[in-house]
Amino acid sequence: MKQTILVHYHEISLKGNNRGWFENQLSRHLAALLRDVPHGAMRRFAGRLGIELAEDALPAEVDAVVRRLRTVFGVANFVVAREVPADLGAIKAGLEELAAATDFQSFKIDARRGTKEFPLNSQQLNQQLGAHIQGLTRKQVRMEGPDATFGVEIAEGRAFLSAGKVQGAGGLPSGTGGKAVCLLSGGLDSPVAAWRIMRRGCRVQYVHFHSFPHTTVESQDKVRRILGVLSRYQLGSALFLVPFSEVQREIVAYAPPPLRVVLYRRFMVRIAEAVAAREKALALVTGDSLGQVASQTMENLRTISAVAALPILRPLVGDDKEDIMRAARAIGTYDISIQADQDCCSLFVPKHPETMSDLGQAERAEAQLDVQRLCREALEGMTRETVPPDWRDGGTS
Ligand code: ATP
Ligand code: MG
């Protein structure tokens, strides 16, 4: 029997006049996402998107498509459906087969008419099909929390029969929310922050600061592996690697030790902002969470933000570490992030970092440094690469 995946949109179904544009972005993303996995034609109808699968598609091939679809922003949920003619007899026969292939004690029918030409309405379909399956299987009908929900969607003379929805990633389609530059460390937080912003439709590019040779090449590889996972959600990410040891050396040599981390961060923001300007990105993203560490007190966030003209988005600002860890597991970055590494910020950290810095203090300290030259040289030493999605093991949302 022919199989089709029916994709249901998330918030984009609400976007009035822009709907066509949102759907186009989603279709383009899906076409690129599925380029190298076997599937048939893709088309829009009745407010949904259908992806046909080969009639003889193997379960592993269907799973590969399903796994990828779970990473797509703008998707509320989807079903893997068997397609039959929109005719009551054919629908009953199809449901019988589906029920025979499903393990359940209780069930309900969730019927929807995408188009009105079918003679029965949703309620009548639910009743008639429910009674039919109950009569055949002697299983119990349960409206709340059944083991199996059999979906029946009628559109364009076809009926799509399914045995359970797959939850989508939610949010808005990639490419509908502008561009931002994320300051990505190898830690737990910044990948989650980037993901949250991507989920709102934004394309994110990444800047990572390293202190090679004081930090290892492995730390840079760790960032690439994290990006292999994050790229599943936007299909390829630009990674800018910035040498930071000279900036750190000067700060350590000439600035008061308690201010070091705040000053590192001010330089990172300046450099990331220069990258954003070149890339025409309109915001920066960081993984800061209020009060999590000394550099993330309100006072220090203010001292750090003061050097930026662009907004700094901090989607984790109100999250607890537990929330962030749970999110990292669902996204698939957790196992990589928790591996030991050396971040440049862990170098030369003073015993008693300032938690209540103010702007004057930071500016006086920087008056001892050649800020412009340090930023310029860091940018001159910067490299750019593209990290493609890595579909090998590891979780998706
Ligand atoms: P993370 O888990 O993201 O490393 P963290 O809790 O360890 O966060 P910090 O190390 O204080 O916090 O970093 C705060 C934010 O500064 C990070 O979330 C990230 O956005 C940015 N950042 C820190 N180190 C780097 C780096 N080496 N390169 C790029 N950005 C960095
Ligand atoms: Mg960190």
Side-chain angles (χ1 to χ4, degrees):
M1 205 178 301
K2 189 165 163 191
Q3 293 193 90
T4 295
I5 296 186
L6 275 196
V7 175
H8 301 119
Y9 306 148
H10 192 51
E11 272 173 58
I12 42 175
S13 52
L14 308 172
K15 295 271 170 196
N17 289 340
N18 282 336
R19 176 170 180 141
W21 180 68
F22 278 86
E23 284 183 346
N24 280 336
Q25 294 296 119
L26 183 61
S27 302
R28 277 174 42 185
H29 181 88
L30 285 171
L33 174 79
L34 299 177
R35 201 168 33 215
D36 58 342
V37 290
H39 68 284
M42 199 181 307
R43 65 197 183 89
R44 293 184 226 166
F45 59 93
R48 301 155 171 74
L49 212 144
I51 303 164
E52 289 176 6
L53 299 172
E55 288 211 16
D56 53 356
L58 300 170
E61 288 171 342
V62 179
D63 287 348
V65 177
V66 165
R67 178 161 179 245
R68 292 201 181 188
L69 284 179
R70 294 181 63 201
T71 63
V72 179
F73 296 129
V75 171
N77 58 64
F78 58 91
V79 293
V80 181
R82 300 171 181 220
E83 201 177 315
V84 299
D87 153 88
L88 198 57
I91 295 174
K92 283 182 178 168
L95 275 182
E96 282 168 31
E97 275 187 37
L98 203 56
T102 309
D103 186 20
F104 66 104
Q105 293 306 320
S106 59
F107 75 101
K108 74 172 177 185
I109 306 284
D110 180 10
R112 284 203 252 171
R113 273 192 316 181
T115 43
K116 299 284 174 220
E117 82 267 15
F118 196 74
L120 302 177
N121 67 24
S122 308
Q123 196 48 38
Q124 291 164 328
L125 270 172
N126 282 338
Q127 281 161 0
Q128 295 197 16
L129 297 173
H132 180 69
I133 295 298
Q134 191 184 26
L136 276 176
T137 62
R138 302 277 146 212
K139 302 284 161 91
Q140 191 193 351
V141 175
R142 180 182 292 173
M143 301 320 283
E144 293 297 322
D147 296 338
T149 299
F150 295 108
V152 179
E153 290 185 59
I154 309 227
E156 295 191 336
R158 315 289 299 162
F160 297 87
L161 313 178
S162 60
K165 280 180 191 166
V166 183
Q167 197 61 37
L172 297 168
S174 182
T176 61
K179 267 202 243 172
V181 166
C182 176
L183 288 80
L184 188 77
S185 70
L188 265 170
D189 305 318
S190 39
V192 176
W195 185 88
R196 291 266 175 87
I197 298 299
M198 277 194 281
R199 186 162 70 153
R200 298 309 299 165
C202 183
R203 286 198 64 83
V204 178
Q205 297 175 322
Y206 298 87
V207 181
H208 175 70
F209 297 87
H210 64 82
S211 288
F212 189 76
H214 305 297
T215 55
T216 57
V217 203
E218 283 77 27
S219 305
Q220 295 175 39
D221 251 357
K222 185 181 177 190
V223 169
R224 288 190 187 97
R225 281 187 291 137
I226 288 175
L227 274 192
V229 174
L230 290 177
S231 284
R232 294 173 186 168
Y233 300 89
Q234 66 173 16
L235 308 181
S237 310
L239 169 62
F240 297 89
L241 288 169
V242 182
F244 204 55
S245 54
E246 185 58 20
V247 172
Q248 289 189 281
R249 211 180 58 79
E250 296 263 319
I251 290 173
V252 168
Y254 300 110
L259 281 182
R260 279 177 194 165
V261 179
V262 168
L263 297 180
Y264 295 166
R265 279 299 134 66
R266 279 166 62 94
F267 275 86
M268 286 184 181
V269 167
R270 289 185 180 103
I271 294 165
E273 202 167 57
V275 175
R278 288 188 199 174
E279 298 293 314
K280 300 192 168 55
L282 299 182
L284 303 182
V285 180
T286 71
D288 296 309
S289 157
L290 190 60
Q292 196 192 81
V293 290
S295 58
Q296 297 170 20
T297 60
M298 192 70 88
E299 287 78 2
N300 286 346
L301 291 180
R302 143 84 173 147
T303 307
I304 293 162
S305 294
V307 296
L310 291 179
I312 301 182
L313 307 180
R314 296 183 165 100
L316 308 184
V317 71
D319 283 17
D320 290 343
K321 199 74 189 181
E322 284 293 322
D323 304 332
I324 298 168
M325 284 171 15
R326 203 175 316 115
R329 282 197 193 92
I331 293 165
T333 51
Y334 182 87
D335 291 336
I336 309 171
S337 286
I338 57 167
Q339 289 164 22
D341 75 334
Q342 263 186 323
D343 189 63
C344 62
C345 292
S346 58
L347 296 177
F348 320 115
V349 173
K351 266 218 190 70
H352 300 290
E354 179 63 70
T355 54
M356 306 257 279
S357 68
D358 66 53
L359 263 186
Q361 223 181 354
E363 283 165 2
R364 282 191 298 281
E366 285 174 355
Q368 310 303 311
L369 310 171
D370 188 344
V371 174
Q372 281 196 355
R373 177 184 61 81
L374 287 168
C375 289
R376 193 183 61 239
E377 287 176 1
L379 283 162
E380 282 165 5
M382 177 170 83
T383 59
R384 181 192 199 278
E385 61 193 90
T386 305
V387 182
D390 179 354
W391 294 107
R392 292 168 305 174
D393 57 19
T396 56
S397 75

